[in-house]
Amino acid sequence: MNRVWNAGPVVRPFLSLGRRRNILATDTGTNLPFTIENYPYADSYGRETVTFVRTFPGSRFDATMIYDPAQGEIVDYLGTHQHLAVPLALSVDDRGGLVIRSGRQRLLGPLALPLPASATGTAVVTEHYDDQAERFRIAVTVSNPWLGRVFGYWGSFTVSYVDLAQHGVPASVRPRREDARR
């Protein structure tokens, strides 16, 4: 990543809390090595799922996406134990790239409560292929209604493909707990 940043002391407690379950990356800096692993599979509830595991030098951010046919939306479950569920809106930008905007987060588990916007962030992710550089470009910004921009990163990456029939989906990219709720 060319740059990974956060808003500093005001958000560090939230980042540290999220780091325990791979919900948020805590790294900051420039030119940080970065790996993203995406694997499609059927989860234990039979739902089509795609992992998005981002690994930075000092932290990791896990997400699994499913399609919710009842709501007609993609839901992103965050962290190793899927404590947060976030609906996603997908669109295409003028370059033909993907734009993802997060919706209102819900806390899962025994409480299963919608979280107030003031206690969460709204993410905007843009990703496109740069033909000239022969790399994918990504930019992520998370904003809070009271604090403004609180976290983000941007950079580029290349892709290698794995034969799932031969290698399967590594256990390391699957969540430790899955939630059936949407």
Side-chain angles (χ1 to χ4, degrees), residues 97-138:
L98 177 63
V99 179
I100 302 171
R101 286 185 172 76
S102 67
R104 188 165 183 197
Q105 297 176 16
R106 293 184 323 268
L107 182 65
L108 299 177
L111 299 176
L113 300 171
L115 296 172
S118 60
T120 66
T122 300
V124 177
V125 179
T126 60
E127 187 175 310
H128 72 279
Y129 188 73
D130 182 336
D131 289 315
Q132 217 170 18
E134 297 182 335
R135 302 176 68 82
F136 285 91
R137 301 245 181 236
I138 187 167

Side-chain angles (χ1 to χ4, degrees), residues 36-55:
I36 184 166
E37 297 175 86
N38 298 341
Y39 288 91
Y41 64 95
D43 72 5
S44 61
Y45 298 101
R47 301 174 297 191
E48 290 184 36
T49 302
V50 178
T51 64
F52 291 83
V53 174
R54 304 149 191 95
T55 305

Side-chain angles (χ1 to χ4, degrees), residues 71-85:
Q71 297 297 319
E73 64 187 6
I74 303 288
V75 177
D76 205 7
Y77 290 96
L78 305 181
T80 56
H81 292 69
Q82 297 188 344
H83 289 302
L84 293 173

